[in-house]
Amino acid sequence: MAGAGNGSPEMNVPLTVKSTGTAASVKVAPGGKAWVKLTFVQVQGEGDGYCVSGSAPVVYPTMVVQLPGSGAHQMALDDGQFAECDDTVTVTTVSTVKLS
């Protein structure tokens, strides 16, 4: 998992990935869907936000996500950018059931 600086995969910034749940193989039928939930360390405050840890907040226009056996995929939010602290993301296990 990486933040894509300026939306460009060539400027990726690797993120520390913390996994939750028990890993297991998930089969997805052709044309099927699978989900993971990504949770970032939240930027506090408005506009000129800050990180509780004291690190500087980072904003990425896109993220590059790679799952075993599926290659890397660049994604963007429909309504903004990814803002995070500490270059860390928590990731759930892959599920064929949409996560809330």
Side-chain angles (χ1 to χ4, degrees):
M1 172 114 200
N6 294 325
S8 173
E10 298 82 41
M11 300 182 74
N12 285 356
V13 175
L15 302 177
T16 299
V17 176
K18 295 181 178 180
S19 299
T20 63
T22 304
S25 294
V26 173
K27 267 195 167 176
V28 180
K33 295 182 180 182
W35 288 264
V36 296
K37 184 175 183 179
L38 308 175
T39 306
F40 299 92
V41 178
Q42 186 174 357
V43 176
Q44 304 296 306
E46 300 288 328
D48 293 331
Y50 66 94
C51 298
V52 172
S53 67
S55 67
V58 181
V59 175
Y60 299 108
T62 62
M63 287 281 167
V64 177
V65 176
Q66 183 170 354
L67 294 171
S70 71
H73 304 278
Q74 188 169 2
M75 61 182 193
L77 295 174
D78 290 338
D79 61 350
Q81 299 179 330
F82 296 93
E84 60 90 22
C85 292
D86 305 333
D87 293 331
T88 301
V89 59
T90 301
V91 180
T92 64
T93 56
V94 177
S95 174
T96 56
V97 178
K98 189 172 184 178
L99 306 169
S100 56

